[in-house]
Amino acid sequence: MIFNSLDFALFLPLVFVLYWFVFNKSLQRQNILVVIASYVFYGWWDWRFLSLIIFSTLVDFFIGKQLGKTLSSSKRKLLLWGSIVVNIGFLGFFKYYNFFVDNFIDAFALFGQQISPNSLNIILPVGISFYTFQTLSYTIDVYRRRLEPTKDIVAFAAFVSFFPQLVAGPIERATHLLPQFKHKRVFNYTKAVSGIQLIVWGLFKKVVIADNCAQFANDIFENYNQYSTATLVLGAVYFAFQIYGDFSGYSDIAIGTSRLLGFDLMKNFATPYFSRDIAEFWRRWHISLSTWFRDYLYIPLGGSRGGTFMVIRNVFVIFLVSGFWHGANWTFIVWGFLNALYFLPLILLKRNRVHTNTIAENTWSPSFREIIQMGTTFALTLVAWIFFRANSVTEAFQYIKRLLLFELDMERLTIERFSVEILPLIALLVVIEWFSRNKEQPLQNVKYPMLFCCSLILLIFMFGSYSQLYEFIYFQF
Amino acid sequence: MSKFLRYIFILLGISLLMLVVLDALYTYVYTHPRHVRNKVIWMKEIPSSEKFDYAAFGSSRTFYNLDPLQIEKETGLKGVNMGYPGANTFEIMLMVKMFLQKFEVKRIFIQVDDQYNKSHYDRTAIIPFMPFIHDDIIYENIKKVETNAVYLKYIPFYRYMKYDSKLGFRELMMTSFNEVNQFEVNYGYAPTMKKNMKESNSPYKFKLKDVKNKHIVELLRVCKEEQVEVMFYTSPIYNPEGNLELLNTHLPNYKDFSNSILAHDMFNDPYHLNTSGTKMFTNLFITTYFEN
């Protein structure tokens, strides 16, 4: 089930009513409802893959319990590795099997050896990368004794499968979300209204910005060899806003939906395109994944301790793994590598933690220097997005090569079936985000929230893209 | 909770009101244009007393490729070009039905090509019909191919949202500001293709499936009932590579013009003639159909 569908528009009110009016007598009942609703939500896509989630849940629940009982450090380590092998094993099989087989064949072909191991027709279970990381966070935190293992399997199943963030995050930590399933939720008007506002804002970003940009970006990236520099730049810009609108829109709807049920999820995006350097960008983009890698990979590898070489090595490891996490394609690995390269000068000059505050914090407009910094950072991310979006690394290089021809025809702006309405809408998004960069969400503390909300709904009706139902990009990861 | 439910009901109420108002506004603008913006409304605006010797239906390959004024000048026969961009066989069938309901005509021409196998309508080409979905003839036909037809008819604004509400918005703006459409004064032909295509070796490839098209069958049934002669044809294509001969088995009176014009400078793009190409093709059309 996807958020921008009629199915979800009926599903959510039904769950809301059952949750607050029928199952509200006890916490256990509410949690059971969350588990059932989450399984229905996931099974709507393909019920067969529910077995994977249930299996993962059971494995980590029992390993967590054993970790709580066991004092021997070798046994504890063994249990932890058991969880890692099972979870990463599933992820590896479903997501990376064919990638490794294909590359294995290619590598042998380089030496003139023809081998033909079988590629399998594997369906990638939606959201597997997200819930795998979420359950792993539980086992690792229990292993590190940062979290008491839970004895409540219903609460744990609800934590693993919580439908608002099940298939595309935010990737929650057990330390943050699991305790919320153990305390009675009390309906809070302010929280619920902010949830509705976030859902509307997320829908605006998804159906108005992302899905409209997708039409242009898809066309330009698929036919890049016919277009000139100006159109190819536009293609990259459209994709940048498509992926931002799509993913941050999903996160907003997820957070908003959770608030309706009395939960708090972590913020996943904080106006990343206003970043002044790439380090700041990564503190503001897909925060739940960046911090996951920081806590469970970067710091165990030594983090920023040790010498400059160690830090550089760790940064490259993080970004390469992050690229690989996004998909079984060299394009994602190059994308990760490129981001690590961008980091390099910041690390060497020890300037990777310069911009920890919000841009133009006490004024309404950025300084000239900040505009240049933002523009440079955005341009760097655009180059990286080309690799992220292209079908292959070769295509990405060809795209960039054509882009460097410096032809200025704007042919994509004048084609009959495509229109320029999207550019003012992107500008509107940028303006709204700029003025809400210090807020938790754009509709917070505005003078007429109902008017603002209704205006967004009007834009969703008038400019939303409904003719093709685009799935959220991050579902494939 | 009651305060929140009140908030939700107000929000839903305003949303519903917006949908109703938008639906009424879009429908009004579509149906009361300052200048007609599409062929469906144009057909509705032409007085039923108007007499035509023939009518041509099809996609942009009729819209841009056939000039009824030139035919009238050279043969004295008055005709109308009802083709419009994106139209598949469904839209063509629907246009023919609406046309025959309003006008008397002895002969019609239907342009077919690689859209022959498409059984559903085009998501852009169907938009001009949406303001009139409450017309029985339109609703009944849409219902046959679209399972959500009932929602399109009864949920306010859904008919515009589903097929890209931005297009509706653009129509809204264009209707308010735009000048007379060229096809209004040219019996339906739009002389806007002025580019000369570059020479190219890459063929325009297509492969038709050997199946009957239900909309063409329906169109033939209606024409038989109304005693209208139907001629099918394929408009010129630059460097085509396909199996159009297959259409001979499914279409009566079929003529393939796909290879009739070879020069690249007669085309705007591989699929559309430019104004010089249109002049040449219209001449060929006259020789084939009107000189005997």
Side-chain angles (χ1 to χ4, degrees):
Chain A
M1 204 180 292
I2 57 175
F3 286 158
N4 56 325
S5 67
L6 194 61
D7 301 335
F8 188 72
L10 299 171
F11 172 82
L12 182 59
L14 180 70
V15 172
F16 181 86
V17 168
L18 291 173
Y19 185 85
W20 290 115
F21 295 100
V22 181
F23 287 75
N24 59 333
K25 299 287 182 286
S26 80
L27 185 65
Q28 186 76 352
R29 282 189 193 181
Q30 273 188 332
N31 287 346
I32 289 171
L33 175 70
V34 169
V35 174
I36 293 169
S38 300
Y39 287 175
V40 169
F41 180 86
Y42 192 81
W44 212 259
W45 166 70
D46 193 331
W47 59 269
R48 290 171 302 171
F49 290 107
L50 271 177
S51 55
L52 281 183
I53 297 185
I54 294 169
F55 186 73
S56 253
T57 306
L58 292 173
V59 165
D60 283 297
F61 178 74
F62 287 110
I63 286 181
K65 267 181 94 172
Q66 290 305 313
L67 280 170
K69 287 181 199 164
T70 313
L71 293 172
S72 152
S73 80
S74 58
K75 275 188 186 167
R76 287 174 62 80
K77 204 168 260 181
L78 199 67
L79 286 165
L80 174 69
W81 276 105
S83 167
I84 292 173
V85 167
V86 169
N87 284 299
I88 301 293
F90 275 145
L91 189 61
F93 176 74
F94 283 100
K95 195 163 175 175
Y96 302 109
Y97 175 83
N98 281 339
F99 175 78
F100 284 118
V101 168
D102 293 344
N103 280 282
F104 193 62
I105 296 169
D106 291 346
F108 270 83
L110 275 180
F111 298 103
Q113 299 289 316
Q114 297 299 323
I115 53 163
S116 52
N118 290 332
S119 285
L120 300 178
N121 187 17
I122 299 170
I123 303 170
L124 179 66
V126 164
I128 188 167
S129 309
F130 290 90
Y131 68 75
T132 299
F133 272 38
Q134 190 152 310
T135 51
L136 273 178
S137 86
Y138 169 77
T139 320
I140 298 170
D141 283 347
V142 171
Y143 172 79
R144 290 174 174 175
R145 299 186 207 280
R146 285 184 187 161
L147 183 72
E148 278 296 307
T150 180
K151 289 173 185 145
D152 182 348
I153 191 156
V154 176
F156 185 70
F159 155 73
V160 176
S161 64
F162 189 42
F163 73 87
Q165 43 87 246
L166 172 61
V167 289
I171 303 166
E172 277 295 334
R173 304 305 164 74
T175 45
H176 181 236
L177 185 58
L178 190 54
Q180 295 185 53
F181 284 101
K182 293 180 176 172
H183 297 111
K184 188 162 172 57
R185 273 86 63 181
V186 180
F187 183 81
N188 179 305
Y189 171 78
T190 315
K191 193 173 182 172
V193 167
S194 78
I196 291 288
Q197 290 170 342
L198 261 173
I199 290 172
V200 172
W201 178 238
L203 274 176
F204 170 78
K205 285 200 271 189
K206 167 64 181 161
V207 298
V208 177
I209 302 297
D211 290 352
N212 282 312
C213 283
Q215 293 180 29
F216 291 87
N218 289 347
D219 184 74
I220 294 169
F221 271 88
E222 293 309 317
N223 305 293
Y224 67 93
N225 47 6
Q226 295 171 20
Y227 295 126
S228 62
T229 304
T231 305
L232 295 178
V233 171
L234 262 182
V237 172
Y238 286 138
F239 181 69
F241 281 96
Q242 178 196 349
I243 194 161
Y244 174 64
D246 191 286
F247 194 20
S248 73
Y250 185 94
S251 295
D252 287 343
I253 300 170
I255 296 168
T257 305
S258 306
R259 284 186 188 173
L260 287 179
L261 303 177
F263 290 89
D264 286 309
L265 297 185
M266 71 184 293
K267 193 171 183 172
N268 216 11
F269 290 85
T271 57
Y273 288 145
F274 299 142
S275 303
R276 287 153 291 182
D277 60 40
I278 208 72
E280 186 185 8
F281 177 82
W282 279 106
R283 282 192 292 275
R284 294 172 172 277
W285 179 276
H286 202 174
I287 300 165
S288 65
L289 182 70
S290 309
T291 51
W292 198 100
F293 278 127
R294 182 196 65 199
D295 294 347
Y296 299 111
L297 193 58
Y298 183 72
I299 292 174
L301 282 172
S304 304
R305 299 184 302 273
T308 309
F309 172 76
M310 185 85 133
V311 178
I312 291 170
R313 186 204 67 178
N314 294 346
V315 166
F316 271 86
V317 169
I318 293 297
F319 276 106
L320 289 174
V321 173
S322 171
F324 202 44
W325 177 88
H326 280 85
N329 193 327
W330 285 102
T331 50
F332 296 116
I333 296 169
V334 174
W335 170 77
F337 179 77
L338 211 49
N339 275 289
L341 270 188
Y342 294 161
F343 244 88
L344 208 52
L346 298 177
I347 296 168
L348 292 172
L349 299 168
K350 300 197 187 312
R351 291 185 62 83
N352 55 327
R353 294 200 65 82
V354 175
H355 301 299
T356 49
N357 61 340
T358 309
I359 189 170
E361 207 163 21
N362 301 313
T363 57
W364 71 271
S365 69
S367 65
F368 180 71
R369 183 188 162 86
E370 284 170 330
I371 291 172
I372 298 293
Q373 287 172 330
M374 268 194 295
T376 311
T377 311
F378 185 64
L380 288 172
T381 58
L382 283 190
V383 175
W385 286 137
I386 293 172
F387 285 91
F388 194 95
R389 172 61 182 78
N391 296 321
S392 67
V393 175
T394 314
E395 279 190 16
F397 277 116
Q398 283 168 349
Y399 190 104
I400 292 169
K401 195 176 153 194
R402 275 199 73 83
L403 199 144
L404 295 174
L405 293 176
F406 297 109
E407 295 166 347
L408 289 169
D409 294 348
M410 301 290 275
E411 65 271 51
R412 221 7 165 186
L413 285 175
T414 55
I415 283 184
E416 188 187 359
R417 285 196 186 193
F418 292 88
S419 65
V420 292
E421 285 100 353
I422 188 62
L423 292 175
L425 290 167
I426 291 175
L428 179 69
L429 170 84
V430 172
V431 170
I432 294 175
E433 293 236 306
W434 178 259
F435 286 106
S436 54
R437 66 195 184 283
N438 289 316
K439 293 188 213 170
E440 198 190 314
Q441 49 125 326
L443 279 88
Q444 188 188 31
N445 298 332
V446 291
K447 207 168 182 185
Y448 303 105
M450 184 59 111
L451 183 67
F452 195 163
C453 200
C454 290
S455 307
L456 285 176
I457 292 172
L458 185 68
L459 291 173
I460 290 169
F461 288 153
M462 287 181 70
F463 298 107
S465 182
Y466 307 96
S467 46
Q468 285 168 295
L469 207 55
Y470 291 95
E471 281 204 348
F472 289 87
I473 294 178
Y474 267 67
F475 277 21
Q476 63 186 296
F477 310 138
Chain B
M1 180 60 91
S2 58
K3 195 177 166 192
F4 178 71
L5 291 178
R6 201 163 58 239
Y7 173 86
I8 287 292
F9 284 124
I10 291 171
L11 202 61
L12 288 176
I14 294 173
S15 301
L16 187 64
L17 191 69
M18 281 194 278
L19 288 173
V20 172
V21 171
L22 282 172
D23 189 87
L25 180 70
Y26 275 48
T27 307
Y28 181 83
V29 172
Y30 266 116
T31 52
H32 297 81
R34 276 174 65 191
H35 298 293
V36 294
R37 293 274 313 144
N38 63 63
K39 288 286 174 79
V40 177
I41 187 73
W42 186 56
M43 190 200 293
K44 288 191 170 274
E45 299 260 304
I46 303 172
S48 54
S49 55
E50 197 91 35
K51 299 278 179 236
F52 297 110
D53 297 302
Y54 70 91
F57 297 84
S59 66
S60 56
R61 285 164 40 71
T62 299
F63 187 51
Y64 298 117
N65 292 6
L66 192 68
D67 181 3
L69 271 180
Q70 189 184 332
I71 296 175
E72 189 174 352
K73 213 159 89 184
E74 293 184 24
T75 66
L77 294 169
K78 188 175 168 187
V80 65
N81 176 339
M82 297 306 303
Y84 75 97
N88 286 339
T89 51
F90 175 84
E91 293 91 321
I92 294 171
M93 177 271 294
L94 197 48
M95 286 291 271
V96 170
K97 276 187 172 179
M98 289 168 68
F99 188 85
L100 296 181
Q101 208 178 44
K102 189 168 177 184
F103 304 102
E104 271 185 31
V105 70
K106 286 281 164 232
R107 203 204 287 205
I108 62 169
F109 295 94
I110 309 289
Q111 166 247 321
V112 281
D113 34 51
D114 53 334
Q115 32 71 311
Y116 174 77
N117 285 136
K118 291 180 183 164
S119 57
H120 204 267
Y121 47 72
D122 178 270
R123 66 185 179 90
T124 314
I126 198 66
I127 292 170
F129 293 99
M130 284 300 146
F132 307 102
I133 197 156
H134 293 279
D135 288 6
D136 284 347
I137 188 170
I138 293 177
Y139 178 64
E140 291 304 322
N141 280 285
I142 287 180
K143 208 165 70 173
K144 286 179 193 164
V145 290
E146 174 58 54
T147 47
N148 288 332
V150 67
Y151 302 141
L152 292 172
K153 187 174 179 181
Y154 294 109
I155 299 178
F157 201 59
Y158 184 60
R159 51 184 158 161
Y160 300 112
M161 277 170 78
K162 181 159 167 81
Y163 299 108
D164 212 334
S165 49
K166 289 180 303 303
L167 285 172
F169 175 76
R170 205 178 318 153
E171 288 299 303
L172 198 80
M173 294 294 114
M174 299 292 267
T175 306
S176 314
F177 303 118
N178 218 20
E179 294 300 308
V180 179
N181 257 303
Q182 294 213 35
F183 73 78
E184 265 186 277
V185 290
N186 287 298
Y187 290 146
Y189 161 60
T192 49
M193 297 281 179
K194 294 191 171 142
K195 210 168 74 181
N196 283 359
M197 197 192 122
K198 284 182 196 154
E199 192 167 7
S200 160
N201 288 325
S202 50
Y204 183 88
K205 289 184 183 173
F206 54 90
K207 187 159 171 52
L208 295 175
K209 284 186 223 150
D210 190 5
V211 285
K212 279 198 164 159
N213 181 303
K214 59 183 177 185
H215 306 308
I216 297 284
V217 172
E218 170 74 357
L219 185 149
L220 286 167
R221 187 193 62 76
V222 173
C223 289
K224 196 176 171 188
E225 249 176 49
E226 301 286 332
Q227 295 179 317
V228 175
E229 186 185 13
V230 191
M231 318 293 282
F232 291 93
Y233 75 97
T234 298
S235 206
I237 301 173
Y238 181 74
N239 203 0
E241 194 181 296
N243 54 341
L244 286 167
E245 66 282 355
L246 192 133
L247 293 177
N248 280 309
T249 57
H250 293 293
L251 307 173
N253 307 321
Y254 171 69
K255 177 87 185 153
D256 179 7
F257 292 107
S258 62
N259 270 311
S260 61
I261 296 179
L262 304 175
H264 63 88
D265 55 359
M266 290 289 123
F267 286 85
N268 186 80
D269 59 59
Y271 218 47
H272 300 99
L273 295 164
N274 57 23
T275 41
S276 313
T278 298
K279 204 170 173 186
M280 187 188 255
F281 175 62
T282 306
N283 267 327
L284 184 63
F285 201 82
I286 293 167
T287 327
T288 311
Y289 293 114
F290 301 120
E291 282 181 3
N292 44 35

